[in-house]
Amino acid sequence: MEDPQFVKSEVKIPSKTPGWDLDAWKFLPMTASGSSSRPLPVISADISDRAHGISANKRMGLSLFAERFASLGYAVVVFDYRRWGTSAGTPRHIVFVSEQLDDYRTVVKYVRQQAEFDPQKVVLWGTSFSGGHVTALSSEKNLNLTAVIAQCPFLGLGSGSSRLTKALLKTVLAGIHDILRQTFGMTPRYMPAVAQPGQVGLLTAPGSVEGMNLILPAEEGVYPNEVSASSLFELPFYNPRASGARITCPVLLVAAEQDNLCPLGFFHELKGLSPKVQLVSFPLGHFELYNEKGSMEAMVSFLEEHVPLDGSAPKSD
């Protein structure tokens, strides 16, 4: 087995909520060990969204991406949102889009305050639901991002999501029940994040359970497969492509052409809104994209073009 070309450590990042730290992993390339090394470009990433952005954590495969980027010479900071994974926050496993966007902003501020990172070369990376987050954040001028990479990002609900079925009605009622429970100080009502079609759950598209099983780690207990039922109501009003015309930095969208969760048409729509958006796609389903080597190679090429490691300025668009 080859020696790793990076050093991994754990860090705690204070979140916007006092007392709630974000648990993070920091990956530094071995070349950063010398005191004369220049500050490194840094990639901030979250994966609390392997199930449509809502129910996973950084232990579910994100290391593979972080290790590759760090081996190339980039620094990487991987974190869990508040209430998820090993980060603090209660009640657990509740989705608040505003909180998750703030957690990304918090990590961006944190990495800019660390002497080992180059504050002028900050990249955001996300996949599925967090892919939507980084896409939305790419339009925030005050973040001054260098680049953004979004793999099979959630860019809004497709038209098929609103079809009324008995299962959907039961799911909505579970969400209302959860709101009532939490309003009166009770524990949340949870439901599966991933379930079979026709069952109560947040993600019930055909193939979702099987796809999730393909990418789950062998270690038991990593994936709880639960989310507060009221998290359902965060989705219909979230449209990360709405601010696409105001994107401020190069953005790479990596799409799965057979994705039944994140419609390909939304990717083309976003690309049409901004000349800064690049799109690559593969003839795969949503979950298959995670193990596609071509996806990783596209990301690496994008980084080499827009976030060079030789000390030169990023390419202007």
Side-chain angles (χ1 to χ4, degrees):
M1 183 176 179
E2 294 183 2
D3 292 333
Q5 297 175 289
F6 56 86
V7 176
K8 175 184 174 183
S9 58
E10 296 185 4
V11 295
K12 298 288 186 180
I13 303 173
S15 77
K16 195 172 181 179
T17 304
W20 290 9
D21 288 342
L22 304 178
D23 190 80
W25 292 337
K26 179 173 66 174
F27 294 79
L28 293 178
M30 294 295 290
T31 54
S33 58
S35 59
S36 61
S37 298
R38 66 168 62 94
L40 297 165
V42 58
I43 302 170
S44 299
D46 176 89
I47 201 167
S48 300
D49 61 345
R50 267 293 178 88
H52 207 35
I54 292 178
S55 65
N57 56 72
K58 66 181 184 299
R59 296 165 66 192
M60 295 176 62
L62 189 53
S63 287
L64 297 177
F65 294 91
E67 290 170 6
R68 176 66 188 278
F69 296 148
S71 295
L72 291 172
Y74 297 92
V76 186
V77 174
V78 176
F79 69 97
D80 284 328
Y81 300 125
R82 282 170 284 180
R83 308 177 190 272
W84 293 92
T86 50
S87 289
T90 56
R92 305 296 293 172
H93 302 159
I94 298 179
V95 174
F96 294 115
V97 168
S98 59
E99 274 192 2
Q100 295 184 355
L101 290 171
D102 271 339
D103 289 344
Y104 262 109
R105 297 183 187 106
T106 293
V107 175
V108 169
K109 181 179 179 180
Y110 167 81
V111 299
R112 285 207 165 106
Q113 294 172 339
Q114 311 306 307
E116 60 203 333
F117 304 137
D118 186 341
Q120 301 304 315
K121 289 187 177 181
V122 178
V123 179
L124 294 188
W125 185 98
T127 183
S128 198
F129 204 59
S130 72
H133 292 347
V134 299
T135 301
L137 292 168
S138 71
S139 65
E140 296 189 6
K141 187 175 182 179
N142 63 317
L143 285 181
N144 192 29
L145 300 173
T146 305
V148 163
I149 298 174
Q151 177 179 260
C152 52
F154 172 84
L155 298 177
L157 290 178
S159 58
S161 305
S162 59
R163 190 171 60 242
L164 183 61
T165 63
K166 186 176 180 180
L168 177 59
L169 180 60
K170 288 183 177 179
T171 302
V172 170
L173 290 175
I176 295 172
H177 184 210
D178 180 34
I179 290 175
L180 293 174
R181 285 182 61 87
Q182 294 193 55
T183 298
F184 290 100
M186 302 172 69
T187 56
R189 172 173 175 173
Y190 293 102
M191 66 181 181
V194 180
Q196 293 289 356
Q199 296 181 345
V200 172
L202 192 61
L203 183 59
T204 59
S208 296
V209 171
E210 295 78 8
M212 176 60 70
N213 288 334
L214 284 175
I215 62 176
L216 282 176
E219 182 183 356
E220 293 185 4
V222 169
Y223 179 57
N225 192 26
E226 72 170 19
V227 62
S228 68
S230 60
S231 297
L232 170 74
F233 302 125
E234 291 285 297
L235 300 184
F237 306 103
Y238 187 37
N239 179 7
R241 68 189 190 281
S243 57
R246 301 194 301 274
I247 288 175
T248 64
C249 65
V251 174
L252 175 65
L253 302 179
V254 183
E257 296 170 5
Q258 300 165 13
D259 198 327
N260 63 349
L261 302 177
C262 302
L264 184 63
F266 289 166
F267 291 72
H268 290 287
E269 178 183 330
L270 182 62
K271 186 177 186 298
L273 292 173
S274 173
K276 294 182 178 294
V277 174
Q278 300 177 35
L279 172 61
V280 296
S281 63
F282 298 88
L284 302 169
H286 184 85
F287 293 96
E288 294 173 308
L289 190 59
Y290 287 87
N291 297 316
E292 169 57 42
K293 292 182 179 179
S295 174
M296 175 65 80
E297 295 311 313
M299 296 179 195
V300 171
S301 295
F302 176 80
L303 287 172
E304 291 174 343
E305 178 180 3
H306 295 285
V307 197
L309 288 166
D310 59 4
S312 62
K315 177 183 176 181
S316 59
D317 295 282

PDB file of all heavy atoms in Angstrom, residues 139-169:
ATOM      1  N   SER A 139     -23.177  32.877  -5.991  1.00  0.00           N
ATOM      2  CA  SER A 139     -23.691  34.184  -6.420  1.00  0.00           C
ATOM      3  C   SER A 139     -23.516  35.260  -5.354  1.00  0.00           C
ATOM      4  O   SER A 139     -23.895  36.409  -5.581  1.00  0.00           O
ATOM      5  CB  SER A 139     -25.176  34.067  -6.783  1.00  0.00           C
ATOM      6  OG  SER A 139     -25.952  33.737  -5.644  1.00  0.00           O
ATOM      7  N   GLU A 140     -22.930  34.899  -4.207  1.00  0.00           N
ATOM      8  CA  GLU A 140     -22.743  35.870  -3.121  1.00  0.00           C
ATOM      9  C   GLU A 140     -21.394  36.562  -3.277  1.00  0.00           C
ATOM     10  O   GLU A 140     -20.346  35.993  -2.976  1.00  0.00           O
ATOM     11  CB  GLU A 140     -22.868  35.182  -1.762  1.00  0.00           C
ATOM     12  CG  GLU A 140     -24.266  34.617  -1.522  1.00  0.00           C
ATOM     13  CD  GLU A 140     -24.469  34.131  -0.092  1.00  0.00           C
ATOM     14  OE1 GLU A 140     -23.565  34.329   0.756  1.00  0.00           O
ATOM     15  OE2 GLU A 140     -25.541  33.561   0.175  1.00  0.00           O
ATOM     16  N   LYS A 141     -21.432  37.778  -3.732  1.00  0.00           N
ATOM     17  CA  LYS A 141     -20.217  38.515  -4.063  1.00  0.00           C
ATOM     18  C   LYS A 141     -19.302  38.691  -2.861  1.00  0.00           C
ATOM     19  O   LYS A 141     -18.072  38.644  -2.984  1.00  0.00           O
ATOM     20  CB  LYS A 141     -20.593  39.885  -4.635  1.00  0.00           C
ATOM     21  CG  LYS A 141     -19.424  40.687  -5.174  1.00  0.00           C
ATOM     22  CD  LYS A 141     -19.886  41.971  -5.829  1.00  0.00           C
ATOM     23  CE  LYS A 141     -18.725  42.765  -6.409  1.00  0.00           C
ATOM     24  NZ  LYS A 141     -19.190  44.019  -7.066  1.00  0.00           N
ATOM     25  N   ASN A 142     -19.880  38.871  -1.667  1.00  0.00           N
ATOM     26  CA  ASN A 142     -19.062  39.130  -0.485  1.00  0.00           C
ATOM     27  C   ASN A 142     -18.233  37.919  -0.061  1.00  0.00           C
ATOM     28  O   ASN A 142     -17.263  38.063   0.682  1.00  0.00           O
ATOM     29  CB  ASN A 142     -19.933  39.610   0.675  1.00  0.00           C
ATOM     30  CG  ASN A 142     -20.932  38.555   1.117  1.00  0.00           C
ATOM     31  OD1 ASN A 142     -21.568  37.894   0.285  1.00  0.00           O
ATOM     32  ND2 ASN A 142     -21.120  38.399   2.411  1.00  0.00           N
ATOM     33  N   LEU A 143     -18.585  36.723  -0.537  1.00  0.00           N
ATOM     34  CA  LEU A 143     -17.790  35.538  -0.194  1.00  0.00           C
ATOM     35  C   LEU A 143     -16.475  35.500  -0.979  1.00  0.00           C
ATOM     36  O   LEU A 143     -15.529  34.841  -0.563  1.00  0.00           O
ATOM     37  CB  LEU A 143     -18.590  34.266  -0.460  1.00  0.00           C
ATOM     38  CG  LEU A 143     -19.691  33.921   0.547  1.00  0.00           C
ATOM     39  CD1 LEU A 143     -20.381  32.621   0.155  1.00  0.00           C
ATOM     40  CD2 LEU A 143     -19.139  33.805   1.967  1.00  0.00           C
ATOM     41  N   ASN A 144     -16.438  36.182  -2.117  1.00  0.00           N
ATOM     42  CA  ASN A 144     -15.217  36.277  -2.927  1.00  0.00           C
ATOM     43  C   ASN A 144     -14.615  34.894  -3.188  1.00  0.00           C
ATOM     44  O   ASN A 144     -13.423  34.660  -2.973  1.00  0.00           O
ATOM     45  CB  ASN A 144     -14.191  37.170  -2.226  1.00  0.00           C
ATOM     46  CG  ASN A 144     -13.033  37.538  -3.143  1.00  0.00           C
ATOM     47  OD1 ASN A 144     -13.192  37.612  -4.356  1.00  0.00           O
ATOM     48  ND2 ASN A 144     -11.860  37.746  -2.555  1.00  0.00           N
ATOM     49  N   LEU A 145     -15.435  33.983  -3.659  1.00  0.00           N
ATOM     50  CA  LEU A 145     -14.984  32.623  -3.921  1.00  0.00           C
ATOM     51  C   LEU A 145     -14.154  32.562  -5.195  1.00  0.00           C
ATOM     52  O   LEU A 145     -14.385  33.310  -6.146  1.00  0.00           O
ATOM     53  CB  LEU A 145     -16.183  31.685  -4.040  1.00  0.00           C
ATOM     54  CG  LEU A 145     -17.082  31.585  -2.803  1.00  0.00           C
ATOM     55  CD1 LEU A 145     -18.319  30.760  -3.130  1.00  0.00           C
ATOM     56  CD2 LEU A 145     -16.316  30.972  -1.628  1.00  0.00           C
ATOM     57  N   THR A 146     -13.189  31.659  -5.217  1.00  0.00           N
ATOM     58  CA  THR A 146     -12.369  31.467  -6.399  1.00  0.00           C
ATOM     59  C   THR A 146     -13.065  30.565  -7.410  1.00  0.00           C
ATOM     60  O   THR A 146     -13.007  30.798  -8.621  1.00  0.00           O
ATOM     61  CB  THR A 146     -11.005  30.851  -6.022  1.00  0.00           C
ATOM     62  OG1 THR A 146     -10.382  31.687  -5.039  1.00  0.00           O
ATOM     63  CG2 THR A 146     -10.101  30.718  -7.231  1.00  0.00           C
ATOM     64  N   ALA A 147     -13.735  29.525  -6.911  1.00  0.00           N
ATOM     65  CA  ALA A 147     -14.420  28.581  -7.788  1.00  0.00           C
ATOM     66  C   ALA A 147     -15.367  27.734  -6.958  1.00  0.00           C
ATOM     67  O   ALA A 147     -15.271  27.678  -5.724  1.00  0.00           O
ATOM     68  CB  ALA A 147     -13.417  27.696  -8.528  1.00  0.00           C
ATOM     69  N   VAL A 148     -16.276  27.053  -7.650  1.00  0.00           N
ATOM     70  CA  VAL A 148     -17.254  26.164  -7.008  1.00  0.00           C
ATOM     71  C   VAL A 148     -17.393  24.911  -7.855  1.00  0.00           C
ATOM     72  O   VAL A 148     -17.439  24.982  -9.089  1.00  0.00           O
ATOM     73  CB  VAL A 148     -18.623  26.865  -6.863  1.00  0.00           C
ATOM     74  CG1 VAL A 148     -19.735  25.852  -6.587  1.00  0.00           C
ATOM     75  CG2 VAL A 148     -18.578  27.906  -5.752  1.00  0.00           C
ATOM     76  N   ILE A 149     -17.448  23.765  -7.181  1.00  0.00           N
ATOM     77  CA  ILE A 149     -17.704  22.487  -7.854  1.00  0.00           C
ATOM     78  C   ILE A 149     -18.961  21.869  -7.242  1.00  0.00           C
ATOM     79  O   ILE A 149     -19.044  21.701  -6.018  1.00  0.00           O
ATOM     80  CB  ILE A 149     -16.526  21.517  -7.696  1.00  0.00           C
ATOM     81  CG1 ILE A 149     -15.259  22.099  -8.335  1.00  0.00           C
ATOM     82  CG2 ILE A 149     -16.860  20.162  -8.309  1.00  0.00           C
ATOM     83  CD1 ILE A 149     -14.010  21.259  -8.104  1.00  0.00           C
ATOM     84  N   ALA A 150     -19.927  21.536  -8.090  1.00  0.00           N
ATOM     85  CA  ALA A 150     -21.181  20.945  -7.627  1.00  0.00           C
ATOM     86  C   ALA A 150     -21.445  19.661  -8.397  1.00  0.00           C
ATOM     87  O   ALA A 150     -21.645  19.687  -9.613  1.00  0.00           O
ATOM     88  CB  ALA A 150     -22.336  21.927  -7.814  1.00  0.00           C
ATOM     89  N   GLN A 151     -21.431  18.537  -7.687  1.00  0.00           N
ATOM     90  CA  GLN A 151     -21.686  17.235  -8.307  1.00  0.00           C
ATOM     91  C   GLN A 151     -23.151  16.867  -8.128  1.00  0.00           C
ATOM     92  O   GLN A 151     -23.670  16.908  -7.016  1.00  0.00           O
ATOM     93  CB  GLN A 151     -20.789  16.167  -7.677  1.00  0.00           C
ATOM     94  CG  GLN A 151     -21.044  14.773  -8.220  1.00  0.00           C
ATOM     95  CD  GLN A 151     -20.150  13.733  -7.613  1.00  0.00           C
ATOM     96  OE1 GLN A 151     -19.154  13.334  -8.201  1.00  0.00           O
ATOM     97  NE2 GLN A 151     -20.488  13.272  -6.413  1.00  0.00           N
ATOM     98  N   CYS A 152     -23.818  16.519  -9.212  1.00  0.00           N
ATOM     99  CA  CYS A 152     -25.254  16.201  -9.251  1.00  0.00           C
ATOM    100  C   CYS A 152     -26.044  17.052  -8.258  1.00  0.00           C
ATOM    101  O   CYS A 152     -26.752  16.531  -7.406  1.00  0.00           O
ATOM    102  CB  CYS A 152     -25.522  14.720  -9.042  1.00  0.00           C
ATOM    103  SG  CYS A 152     -24.795  13.926  -7.599  1.00  0.00           S
ATOM    104  N   PRO A 153     -25.923  18.385  -8.359  1.00  0.00           N
ATOM    105  CA  PRO A 153     -26.529  19.252  -7.343  1.00  0.00           C
ATOM    106  C   PRO A 153     -28.052  19.316  -7.423  1.00  0.00           C
ATOM    107  O   PRO A 153     -28.646  19.213  -8.506  1.00  0.00           O
ATOM    108  CB  PRO A 153     -25.925  20.625  -7.663  1.00  0.00           C
ATOM    109  CG  PRO A 153     -25.652  20.569  -9.128  1.00  0.00           C
ATOM    110  CD  PRO A 153     -25.194  19.166  -9.392  1.00  0.00           C
ATOM    111  N   PHE A 154     -28.668  19.502  -6.287  1.00  0.00           N
ATOM    112  CA  PHE A 154     -30.099  19.784  -6.208  1.00  0.00           C
ATOM    113  C   PHE A 154     -30.296  21.230  -6.639  1.00  0.00           C
ATOM    114  O   PHE A 154     -29.806  22.156  -6.004  1.00  0.00           O
ATOM    115  CB  PHE A 154     -30.586  19.588  -4.772  1.00  0.00           C
ATOM    116  CG  PHE A 154     -32.013  20.028  -4.549  1.00  0.00           C
ATOM    117  CD1 PHE A 154     -33.064  19.184  -4.837  1.00  0.00           C
ATOM    118  CD2 PHE A 154     -32.295  21.287  -4.048  1.00  0.00           C
ATOM    119  CE1 PHE A 154     -34.381  19.589  -4.634  1.00  0.00           C
ATOM    120  CE2 PHE A 154     -33.595  21.709  -3.831  1.00  0.00           C
ATOM    121  CZ  PHE A 154     -34.652  20.843  -4.129  1.00  0.00           C
ATOM    122  N   LEU A 155     -31.045  21.426  -7.729  1.00  0.00           N
ATOM    123  CA  LEU A 155     -31.283  22.772  -8.248  1.00  0.00           C
ATOM    124  C   LEU A 155     -32.761  23.130  -8.217  1.00  0.00           C
ATOM    125  O   LEU A 155     -33.197  24.073  -8.870  1.00  0.00           O
ATOM    126  CB  LEU A 155     -30.738  22.893  -9.674  1.00  0.00           C
ATOM    127  CG  LEU A 155     -29.221  22.700  -9.829  1.00  0.00           C
ATOM    128  CD1 LEU A 155     -28.821  22.777 -11.294  1.00  0.00           C
ATOM    129  CD2 LEU A 155     -28.451  23.731  -8.999  1.00  0.00           C
ATOM    130  N   GLY A 156     -33.527  22.398  -7.425  1.00  0.00           N
ATOM    131  CA  GLY A 156     -34.957  22.634  -7.313  1.00  0.00           C
ATOM    132  C   GLY A 156     -35.719  21.351  -7.585  1.00  0.00           C
ATOM    133  O   GLY A 156     -35.191  20.388  -8.142  1.00  0.00           O
ATOM    134  N   LEU A 157     -36.981  21.318  -7.179  1.00  0.00           N
ATOM    135  CA  LEU A 157     -37.807  20.133  -7.383  1.00  0.00           C
ATOM    136  C   LEU A 157     -38.313  20.077  -8.812  1.00  0.00           C
ATOM    137  O   LEU A 157     -38.725  21.087  -9.385  1.00  0.00           O
ATOM    138  CB  LEU A 157     -38.999  20.146  -6.425  1.00  0.00           C
ATOM    139  CG  LEU A 157     -38.690  19.914  -4.946  1.00  0.00           C
ATOM    140  CD1 LEU A 157     -39.963  20.005  -4.125  1.00  0.00           C
ATOM    141  CD2 LEU A 157     -38.029  18.558  -4.728  1.00  0.00           C
ATOM    142  N   GLY A 158     -38.310  18.887  -9.387  1.00  0.00           N
ATOM    143  CA  GLY A 158     -38.845  18.698 -10.722  1.00  0.00           C
ATOM    144  C   GLY A 158     -40.362  18.634 -10.704  1.00  0.00           C
ATOM    145  O   GLY A 158     -40.993  18.505  -9.643  1.00  0.00           O
ATOM    146  N   SER A 159     -40.964  18.709 -11.878  1.00  0.00           N
ATOM    147  CA  SER A 159     -42.421  18.734 -11.973  1.00  0.00           C
ATOM    148  C   SER A 159     -43.064  17.454 -11.452  1.00  0.00           C
ATOM    149  O   SER A 159     -44.172  17.475 -10.914  1.00  0.00           O
ATOM    150  CB  SER A 159     -42.838  18.959 -13.429  1.00  0.00           C
ATOM    151  OG  SER A 159     -42.297  17.946 -14.269  1.00  0.00           O
ATOM    152  N   GLY A 160     -42.372  16.330 -11.563  1.00  0.00           N
ATOM    153  CA  GLY A 160     -42.937  15.071 -11.094  1.00  0.00           C
ATOM    154  C   GLY A 160     -43.025  14.962  -9.595  1.00  0.00           C
ATOM    155  O   GLY A 160     -43.708  14.089  -9.054  1.00  0.00           O
ATOM    156  N   SER A 161     -42.341  15.868  -8.878  1.00  0.00           N
ATOM    157  CA  SER A 161     -42.313  15.795  -7.415  1.00  0.00           C
ATOM    158  C   SER A 161     -43.658  16.174  -6.798  1.00  0.00           C
ATOM    159  O   SER A 161     -43.907  15.869  -5.639  1.00  0.00           O
ATOM    160  CB  SER A 161     -41.220  16.724  -6.871  1.00  0.00           C
ATOM    161  OG  SER A 161     -39.980  16.423  -7.449  1.00  0.00           O
ATOM    162  N   SER A 162     -44.505  16.886  -7.553  1.00  0.00           N
ATOM    163  CA  SER A 162     -45.759  17.376  -6.985  1.00  0.00           C
ATOM    164  C   SER A 162     -46.935  16.446  -7.225  1.00  0.00           C
ATOM    165  O   SER A 162     -48.057  16.776  -6.866  1.00  0.00           O
ATOM    166  CB  SER A 162     -46.080  18.757  -7.574  1.00  0.00           C
ATOM    167  OG  SER A 162     -46.186  18.677  -8.986  1.00  0.00           O
ATOM    168  N   ARG A 163     -46.708  15.294  -7.840  1.00  0.00           N
ATOM    169  CA  ARG A 163     -47.798  14.369  -8.118  1.00  0.00           C
ATOM    170  C   ARG A 163     -48.382  13.835  -6.818  1.00  0.00           C
ATOM    171  O   ARG A 163     -47.666  13.264  -5.986  1.00  0.00           O
ATOM    172  CB  ARG A 163     -47.306  13.230  -9.004  1.00  0.00           C
ATOM    173  CG  ARG A 163     -48.431  12.351  -9.538  1.00  0.00           C
ATOM    174  CD  ARG A 163     -47.930  11.376 -10.593  1.00  0.00           C
ATOM    175  NE  ARG A 163     -46.904  10.484 -10.051  1.00  0.00           N
ATOM    176  CZ  ARG A 163     -45.662  10.440 -10.500  1.00  0.00           C
ATOM    177  NH1 ARG A 163     -45.289  11.271 -11.466  1.00  0.00           N
ATOM    178  NH2 ARG A 163     -44.791   9.609  -9.981  1.00  0.00           N
ATOM    179  N   LEU A 164     -49.672  14.016  -6.619  1.00  0.00           N
ATOM    180  CA  LEU A 164     -50.325  13.636  -5.373  1.00  0.00           C
ATOM    181  C   LEU A 164     -50.572  12.139  -5.339  1.00  0.00           C
ATOM    182  O   LEU A 164     -51.196  11.567  -6.232  1.00  0.00           O
ATOM    183  CB  LEU A 164     -51.647  14.386  -5.215  1.00  0.00           C
ATOM    184  CG  LEU A 164     -52.407  14.142  -3.902  1.00  0.00           C
ATOM    185  CD1 LEU A 164     -51.562  14.591  -2.723  1.00  0.00           C
ATOM    186  CD2 LEU A 164     -53.751  14.864  -3.919  1.00  0.00           C
ATOM    187  N   THR A 165     -50.059  11.497  -4.322  1.00  0.00           N
ATOM    188  CA  THR A 165     -50.268  10.073  -4.107  1.00  0.00           C
ATOM    189  C   THR A 165     -50.616   9.857  -2.644  1.00  0.00           C
ATOM    190  O   THR A 165     -50.461  10.758  -1.808  1.00  0.00           O
ATOM    191  CB  THR A 165     -49.004   9.265  -4.442  1.00  0.00           C
ATOM    192  OG1 THR A 165     -47.948   9.664  -3.538  1.00  0.00           O
ATOM    193  CG2 THR A 165     -48.548   9.513  -5.875  1.00  0.00           C
ATOM    194  N   LYS A 166     -51.079   8.669  -2.337  1.00  0.00           N
ATOM    195  CA  LYS A 166     -51.405   8.336  -0.957  1.00  0.00           C
ATOM    196  C   LYS A 166     -50.164   8.430  -0.072  1.00  0.00           C
ATOM    197  O   LYS A 166     -50.218   8.935   1.051  1.00  0.00           O
ATOM    198  CB  LYS A 166     -52.000   6.932  -0.895  1.00  0.00           C
ATOM    199  CG  LYS A 166     -52.510   6.527   0.479  1.00  0.00           C
ATOM    200  CD  LYS A 166     -53.162   5.157   0.429  1.00  0.00           C
ATOM    201  CE  LYS A 166     -53.689   4.750   1.809  1.00  0.00           C
ATOM    202  NZ  LYS A 166     -54.331   3.395   1.749  1.00  0.00           N
ATOM    203  N   ALA A 167     -49.045   7.962  -0.603  1.00  0.00           N
ATOM    204  CA  ALA A 167     -47.801   8.011   0.172  1.00  0.00           C
ATOM    205  C   ALA A 167     -47.368   9.447   0.426  1.00  0.00           C
ATOM    206  O   ALA A 167     -46.918   9.782   1.522  1.00  0.00           O
ATOM    207  CB  ALA A 167     -46.699   7.245  -0.560  1.00  0.00           C
ATOM    208  N   LEU A 168     -47.510  10.310  -0.600  1.00  0.00           N
ATOM    209  CA  LEU A 168     -47.139  11.712  -0.414  1.00  0.00           C
ATOM    210  C   LEU A 168     -48.032  12.372   0.632  1.00  0.00           C
ATOM    211  O   LEU A 168     -47.549  13.147   1.469  1.00  0.00           O
ATOM    212  CB  LEU A 168     -47.243  12.466  -1.738  1.00  0.00           C
ATOM    213  CG  LEU A 168     -46.944  13.970  -1.681  1.00  0.00           C
ATOM    214  CD1 LEU A 168     -45.541  14.227  -1.153  1.00  0.00           C
ATOM    215  CD2 LEU A 168     -47.129  14.614  -3.050  1.00  0.00           C
ATOM    216  N   LEU A 169     -49.314  12.064   0.588  1.00  0.00           N
ATOM    217  CA  LEU A 169     -50.237  12.626   1.579  1.00  0.00           C
ATOM    218  C   LEU A 169     -49.839  12.207   2.989  1.00  0.00           C
ATOM    219  O   LEU A 169     -49.818  13.031   3.914  1.00  0.00           O
ATOM    220  CB  LEU A 169     -51.663  12.186   1.269  1.00  0.00           C
ATOM    221  CG  LEU A 169     -52.750  12.694   2.223  1.00  0.00           C
ATOM    222  CD1 LEU A 169     -52.786  14.215   2.241  1.00  0.00           C
ATOM    223  CD2 LEU A 169     -54.115  12.132   1.829  1.00  0.00           C
TER     224      LEU A 169
END
